[in-house]
Amino acid sequence: MTMITDDLGAMGPLVARLGRAGQRLRRVDRARPWVLDAAVVVLVFLLFCLPDLLHTLGGEDGDAPRRFRMTFTRLPVVGMLALQAGLVLPLLWRRWAPAVAFGAITAVFVLQWSLGTALRADIALFVALYSLALHGRLRQLPWACAVMTGALGLVAARVSAAVSVWDALFFLLSTATAALALGLMIRIRRAQLAGLRDRAAQLEIERDQRGRLAVAAERTRVAREMHDIVGHNLSVIITLADAGAYATDAAPERGKEALHLIGDTGRQALSEVRRVLGVLREADGPRGEPELSPQPGLTDIDTLCEGVRAAGLEVVYRTAGDVDVLDSGVQLTVYRIVQEALTNTLKHAGAGARANLAIVVEDTRLTITVQDSGPPAPAKRAGTAEKEGHGLMGMRERAALYGGHVSAGPVGPGWRVRAALDLTSEDGVTR
């Protein structure tokens, strides 16, 4: 076991070097594909054509047995060069036209063996079959294999005086099968790698798309939160400022109280804005971390009502059902809907109006009702019947997250907002 481990460890650097060499070769091939094609032709000529030429020029019959040499016909140098060129030169286009290269080489191969001549350059036929399996169309392989079998049958018949026909066919067809299998194996491997690259690119695109969707959703959430926070607190501040300006001369103490309430409301709004925007900034250290606080819930509605009452709107708040078991997401949705509804009441009905707020939980359904008595003095409720504002759209978006809906409309001299939420999650568990 130790010896095997040592051998594998010693092979590691060799495999790494071969891998790097293969990568460099692929880069060169992509930049100059003709270089590799020419190198294959030169290599085949040096290894298989040149020895035959040297033997012919030297008047030798090679190192084959005598009975095998007498089976073949000796050609002059010019004829041998012509046949070798016909076998080797088509390899130059073996990749971009593999079927044409295979057909040309096969034709020269059949002509050569019809003349009774054996050449080492016949290896080009197996290279052409390998290239056809790797680069050609798969539907061309059956007829190529049939043509190859016929050509090799001619060879087996020619050497039958020295070797058994079946032995020769077995050797030749085994070599052809190896070349075909090698080409198909590399083709399948390349297809798998291409599929993996495409899959990786697709996953990267999907990741970027999910990131963009998450950013868009977060922006929408922050915009909705900012609208609720800023809209509500500014409405309260404006109402308190108007009331303070009116009471400055008649009751200075009430004006001073209004200024204190404006300051408290402004600080609360600033704190909430910092909390919402703080999560968008990257913390740059212990001092840079935003001061986070829990999201508002049902327990904060009392404080919300107190602030609205300080602005001059009388609020009657009641709950029914088990509201304490609601999760934080539902509580935040309820708080924001109530905040927006009371803000609209304060904005349109004004100080001196009365609002009834009811939150009722019944089984898997939660209902929020905010109904006001309308402006104290007969006046048109501005901005309600003519145009639906962003606040009502925001309430509907929040309710839709829990399969609910929001309805709003006049009831007598006042206005009523009703929201219904489904407290059942996708798996049927009550939130």
Side-chain angles (χ1 to χ4, degrees):
M1 180 64 69
T2 304
M3 295 179 61
I4 295 176
T5 305
D6 294 340
D7 292 340
L8 292 176
M11 292 176 61
L14 177 60
V15 173
R17 285 194 294 269
L18 290 176
R20 288 191 293 269
Q23 292 177 357
R24 287 193 295 269
L25 182 61
R26 284 191 293 269
R27 286 195 295 268
V28 172
D29 186 42
R30 285 193 295 267
R32 299 179 180 85
W34 58 269
V35 173
L36 183 59
D37 295 334
V40 170
V41 172
V42 171
L43 184 64
V44 171
F45 176 80
L46 293 177
L47 293 180
F48 301 100
C49 298
L50 190 59
D52 285 340
L53 288 174
L54 294 177
H55 291 158
T56 302
L57 291 174
E60 301 177 5
D61 291 330
D63 53 359
R66 180 176 179 83
R67 61 171 182 167
F68 199 74
R69 292 198 303 266
M70 295 177 62
T71 307
F72 303 115
T73 303
R74 294 185 59 183
L75 292 178
V77 176
V78 176
M80 180 177 293
L81 281 175
L83 291 176
Q84 289 178 343
L87 290 171
V88 175
L89 290 181
L91 294 179
L92 288 173
W93 61 82
R94 65 183 181 87
R95 288 197 290 181
W96 57 272
V100 176
F102 178 80
I105 293 174
T106 303
V108 176
F109 180 85
V110 172
L111 174 62
Q112 168 212 322
W113 281 98
S114 298
L115 297 174
T117 302
L119 297 175
R120 291 182 173 88
D122 291 338
I123 192 68
L125 182 64
F126 300 101
V127 177
L129 180 63
Y130 158 81
S131 301
L132 182 62
L134 179 57
H135 304 290
R137 299 177 182 178
L138 293 178
R139 64 184 183 185
Q140 297 173 340
L141 287 180
W143 67 261
C145 293
V147 171
M148 186 79 167
T149 303
L152 296 181
L154 175 62
V155 176
R158 280 290 185 180
V159 300
S160 59
V163 182
S164 169
V165 173
W166 297 111
D167 291 342
L169 275 178
F170 175 78
F171 173 76
L172 294 172
L173 292 179
S174 298
T175 306
T177 302
L180 181 66
L182 181 61
L184 290 176
M185 182 188 68
I186 296 178
R187 183 187 188 123
I188 293 172
R189 179 59 177 169
R190 289 182 179 179
Q192 290 176 343
L193 292 177
L196 291 176
R197 284 192 293 267
D198 292 341
R199 179 60 178 164
Q202 184 65 28
L203 290 176
E204 186 174 355
I205 294 174
E206 292 177 359
R207 181 200 63 191
D208 295 339
Q209 290 177 344
R210 285 195 298 269
R212 287 192 291 268
L213 290 175
V215 170
E218 183 64 15
R219 288 178 177 174
T220 302
R221 186 192 69 80
V222 171
R224 189 165 53 234
E225 291 287 322
M226 292 296 295
H227 174 272
D228 293 341
I229 294 171
V230 175
H232 168 74
N233 289 287
L234 283 181
S235 298
V236 173
I237 289 174
I238 292 171
T239 304
L240 289 173
D242 291 341
Y246 177 79
T248 299
D249 297 330
E253 292 298 327
R254 295 297 302 274
K256 183 178 180 180
E257 181 182 356
L259 291 176
H260 285 301
L261 291 174
I262 289 174
D264 293 339
T265 304
R267 281 187 290 272
Q268 179 184 356
L270 182 60
S271 176
E272 293 189 19
V273 169
R274 284 176 175 173
R275 174 181 55 80
V276 173
L277 297 182
V279 298
L280 301 180
R281 296 193 297 265
E282 293 182 356
D284 53 1
R287 296 182 180 180
E289 295 181 357
E291 296 181 0
L292 304 179
S293 60
Q295 293 276 25
L298 294 183
T299 57
D300 299 294
I301 293 182
D302 289 325
T303 305
L304 177 65
C305 292
E306 290 296 330
V308 175
R309 291 189 187 104
L313 179 65
E314 183 181 354
V315 180
V316 178
Y317 171 44
R318 69 179 183 88
T319 61
D322 194 0
V323 297
D324 296 330
V325 299
L326 300 176
D327 68 14
S328 58
V330 176
Q331 293 194 33
L332 176 61
T333 298
V334 173
Y335 179 88
R336 293 305 185 197
I337 291 176
V338 170
Q339 184 184 50
E340 182 61 34
L342 291 179
T343 299
N344 290 338
T345 300
L346 183 63
K347 183 188 303 182
H348 300 294
R354 175 188 174 94
N356 293 316
L357 168 61
I359 300 176
V360 180
V361 176
E362 296 177 344
D363 296 331
T364 61
R365 184 179 179 85
L366 184 147
T367 305
I368 306 167
T369 305
V370 180
Q371 181 173 343
D372 62 68
S373 59
K380 184 178 180 181
R381 192 182 184 99
T384 56
E386 294 86 351
K387 183 179 180 181
E388 181 178 297
H390 295 288
L392 185 56
M393 293 175 58
M395 286 191 285
R396 285 176 174 164
E397 290 177 358
R398 290 183 180 276
L401 295 176
Y402 293 92
H405 62 276
V406 175
S407 60
V411 177
W415 192 267
R416 182 176 66 189
V417 175
R418 183 187 297 273
L421 306 181
D422 184 5
L423 302 180
T424 304
S425 60
E426 294 182 356
D427 55 0
V429 180
T430 303
R431 295 178 182 270

